[in-house]
Amino acid sequence: MIDRRQFLVALGAGAVIAAGVAGCSDDSEDPDSAGASSAKKRATLPIPTMPGDPFQLGVASGDPDASSVVLWTRLAPVPLEGGGMPDQAAPVRWEMSEDETFQKLVASGTTVAETRWGHSVHVTATGLEPDSWYSYRFRIGNYTSPVGRTRTTPEAGARTGRLLLGFASCQAWETGYYNAYRDLAATELDLVLFLGDYIYENGATESGVRKHNSAEITDLAGYRNRYALYKSDPNLQAAHALCPWVCIWDDHEVENNYASEQSEDAAITPEAFAPRRVDAYQAWWEHTPIRLEPPSGQSLQIYRALRWGDLASIFMTDERQYRSDQACGDKILQLVPACDEINSAGRTLLGDTQEKWLLDGLDASPAVWRVWGNEVVMTPITIGRAVLNYDQWDGYPADRKRILEHVSSKGMTNLVVLTGDIHLGGVGDLTTGEGDSRKIVGTEFVGTSISSGGLLPPGAEGLVRSNVPAIKYVNSSQRGWTYCDVTPEKWTTEYRMVENNQVDGSPVTVDATFTVSPTTPGAVQV
Ligand code: FE
Ligand code: CA
């Protein structure tokens, strides 16, 4: 058994999910396990008096490997008022079964929901079969949570015929409903990748179809209540209950366009910004089914990878915590040449350590597909020398060039980059070289937002399409999610768009479908 602090140290640079499997085996009810006595202690903790059903935020699972998966819930009988739990640790029983009857349990235990972590629960259920589905639930006192479905991955390297993958990002509460999640939750999927902007930090406005619960959030209590608001949505809860998710953040989980220790507001010093980031990271951890021990200190290493049999290696990166500040004043949609700062030495988006981890991981992957869960758009969206968005990879061109030239020089043909952030559906070619030596080395699928408003002004869609040759599809006006049917022969991406996301219950249809071959980068519309 490893305690939490030791585990954090042990985790260190080991970002690959499989390396983080330790811990939580003390949740086992195996009487022979070393954790039996502490498990007994947990089981005898008094059950707090709660003012109502503590499972109102639903359940979730995430970060699966071939023998284990993380199960999540948070006790919050009064969700928007700090959760409403008394200030005491609470014993929470978890149960896993092959079916929804829970007659025969394959794994179970009791864990502790602690006040200091917002009474959130992260259990790593271990000893599971590879490539298998399970039901799970939590119990405390007379309350039983909703049931979630989750699964393990196929063994790394095992021959695997299919992965049904969904990806999503940007779910601003006020600007639309979660119709996309209603559709996603009704779809057969193995895994969902969430690529950032799970919450938005802004204060309540009058113009949306729903309303934020407070002014702009800047502290732990504020972030917790904001997550509780978002997680109260039944469609989001159903989407989490469908299958495991692998989540990364983007900027709005803290503050719009923050960069490493720098607030968007240049007048705020890193020292003044630091406590806000710490609180935001903690609240993100508390509400995410991530295989990571509780935060300690200023940073949280969330970049990590997972394997899906021999079919896919999936890399999830963090493009906020280590980046250089946005160049050229972080201006947006300005048709003027980029300033020199954009090419200054030492600028980085991933940071050196993460970039090396990514390149090494890509090199070592024997899988049919190399998949990259990426936060900001990589396909160049430049018109002449004008950069339309300095927050994207366009603002960090040296890093992008280095990575894509590496992919090219190693002869990789199977890189598929999945991207969020920009609230549009888009397909782009990732290229190296110019003119006659231009070469497509990867494929980028940008998913539209679940609910956040489109960012391109009227007319800009056409401007981008006609001026940017790498762009094969742009839909900035619709919200939705993206479905990927991944097989050894072919990758198929469907853009599933909500008809009118200002209406709760509006239907979803497929707007465009693209395929990619693992031996020929570049998407083809079908
Ligand atoms: Fe967003
Ligand atoms: Ca964003």
Side-chain angles (χ1 to χ4, degrees):
M1 255 196 324
I2 301 180
D3 78 29
R4 286 188 164 152
R5 295 292 154 239
Q6 285 172 312
F7 179 84
L8 268 176
V9 173
L11 196 62
V16 174
I17 281 182
V21 175
C24 296
S25 58
D26 57 344
D27 289 315
S28 164
E29 286 191 337
D30 176 3
D32 297 328
S33 85
S37 63
S38 55
K40 198 177 285 171
K41 222 178 284 167
R42 274 190 286 281
T44 55
L45 265 180
I47 291 166
T49 304
M50 295 174 287
D53 179 358
F55 294 115
Q56 295 182 51
L57 304 184
V59 299
S61 70
D63 288 5
D65 66 19
S67 66
S68 67
V69 66
V70 175
L71 310 178
W72 175 92
T73 192
R74 180 184 162 215
L75 305 179
V78 191
L80 294 186
E81 291 168 35
M85 288 293 289
D87 182 9
Q88 69 185 85
V92 181
R93 182 171 164 78
W94 59 275
E95 298 177 338
M96 262 183 130
S97 172
E98 283 173 9
D99 60 33
E100 298 206 359
T101 68
F102 291 91
Q103 294 291 311
K104 188 168 171 288
L105 300 182
V106 296
S108 62
T110 300
T111 189
V112 179
E114 294 182 60
T115 300
R116 63 183 169 148
W117 306 119
H119 290 97
S120 63
V121 172
H122 299 73
V123 167
T124 306
T126 57
L128 307 176
E129 294 298 317
D131 203 10
S132 299
W133 282 93
Y134 298 94
S135 295
Y136 64 95
R137 67 182 181 185
F138 299 91
R139 301 169 74 179
I140 182 168
N142 295 323
Y143 296 104
T144 303
S145 77
V147 173
R149 290 282 286 160
T150 193
R151 60 162 302 156
T152 52
T153 69
E155 296 274 17
R159 192 152 173 197
T160 302
R162 171 160 272 156
L163 165 62
L164 300 176
L165 181 73
F167 72 96
S169 65
C170 296
Q171 51 191 33
W173 181 260
E174 299 191 307
T175 50
Y177 293 101
Y178 291 169
N179 291 303
Y181 281 136
R182 183 182 291 110
D183 183 61
L184 183 151
T187 305
E188 185 188 347
L189 289 175
D190 294 304
L191 191 69
V192 169
L193 306 183
F194 189 85
L195 302 176
D197 291 356
Y198 196 96
I199 58 163
Y200 283 70
E201 79 282 14
N202 61 282
T205 61
E206 295 299 328
S207 55
V209 295
R210 303 195 281 191
K211 211 168 162 179
H212 271 164
N213 54 321
S214 68
E216 182 164 341
I217 49 175
T218 57
D219 62 10
L220 183 57
Y223 284 105
R224 280 177 173 163
N225 289 341
R226 189 59 59 86
Y227 278 100
L229 175 70
Y230 281 50
K231 282 194 161 281
S232 69
D233 187 284
N235 291 321
L236 177 58
Q237 291 190 13
H240 275 293
L242 178 75
C243 67
W245 287 35
V246 182
C247 302
I248 46 176
W249 57 42
D250 191 34
D251 52 341
H252 288 286
E253 284 86 350
V254 181
E255 183 212 33
N256 181 54
N257 282 12
Y258 83 98
S260 187
E261 293 163 352
Q262 181 57 54
S263 163
E264 178 185 35
D265 182 348
I268 296 175
T269 64
E271 293 70 29
F273 182 61
R276 181 180 185 179
R277 202 184 84 160
V278 166
D279 283 357
Y281 283 8
Q282 178 174 334
W284 179 86
W285 178 86
E286 288 173 352
H287 293 85
T288 301
I290 188 168
R291 194 186 290 254
L292 193 62
E293 287 297 294
S296 75
Q298 302 281 311
S299 61
L300 196 60
Q301 190 195 307
I302 68 161
Y303 62 84
R304 60 206 195 279
L306 75 158
R307 292 282 302 279
W308 200 275
D310 67 352
L311 189 58
S313 300
I314 304 173
F315 302 89
M316 306 292 284
T317 51
D318 175 349
E319 296 167 18
R320 290 292 158 191
Q321 197 172 181
Y322 314 108
R323 69 156 74 195
S324 310
D325 200 11
Q326 291 88 352
C328 308
D330 199 9
K331 293 194 182 70
I332 190 147
L333 293 173
Q334 305 231 328
L335 293 174
V336 295
C339 73
D340 292 341
E341 184 192 355
I342 201 166
N343 293 315
S344 61
R347 283 184 60 71
T348 177
L349 187 58
L350 296 179
D352 294 347
T353 308
Q354 181 180 206
E355 184 176 315
K356 184 175 187 314
W357 165 84
L358 176 65
L359 295 183
D360 289 349
L362 290 172
D363 286 353
S365 168
V368 177
W369 297 98
R370 291 174 169 95
V371 185
W372 180 359
N374 168 57
E375 289 165 18
V376 295
V377 173
M378 197 164 211
T379 304
I381 313 292
T382 49
I383 294 180
R385 285 182 49 229
V387 166
L388 302 191
N389 186 350
Y390 289 93
D391 187 60
Q392 299 181 164
W393 281 92
D394 277 341
Y396 304 80
D399 291 35
R400 177 175 57 197
K401 187 163 185 270
R402 200 161 51 236
I403 292 167
L404 294 179
E405 285 182 352
H406 179 93
V407 166
S408 173
S409 72
K410 297 289 172 105
M412 299 175 198
T413 59
N414 61 359
L415 177 66
V416 175
V417 180
L418 308 177
T419 304
D421 181 54
I422 203 63
H423 311 175
L424 59 78
V427 178
D429 291 331
L430 299 172
T431 60
T432 56
E434 305 282 332
D436 287 349
S437 63
R438 182 177 180 270
K439 182 179 154 196
I440 299 173
V441 301
T443 307
E444 181 173 39
F445 292 113
V446 182
T448 191
S449 54
I450 290 289
S451 57
S452 307
L455 296 169
L456 287 185
E461 241 178 59
L463 185 76
V464 169
R465 220 180 274 132
S466 56
N467 284 279
V468 185
I471 297 292
K472 294 174 172 169
Y473 167 70
V474 187
N475 181 344
S476 169
S477 60
Q478 283 183 291
R479 318 282 61 91
W481 68 284
T482 313
Y483 171 83
C484 305
D485 179 351
V486 184
T487 70
E489 295 76 35
K490 191 169 70 173
W491 180 298
T492 305
T493 294
E494 280 181 12
Y495 283 91
R496 301 188 62 87
M497 298 294 190
V498 181
E499 189 178 282
N500 176 2
N501 209 37
Q502 303 299 292
V503 176
D504 191 8
S506 183
V508 170
T509 53
V510 177
D511 186 56
T513 303
F514 288 82
T515 61
V516 195
S517 152
T519 54
T520 315
V524 178
Q525 189 156 15
V526 292

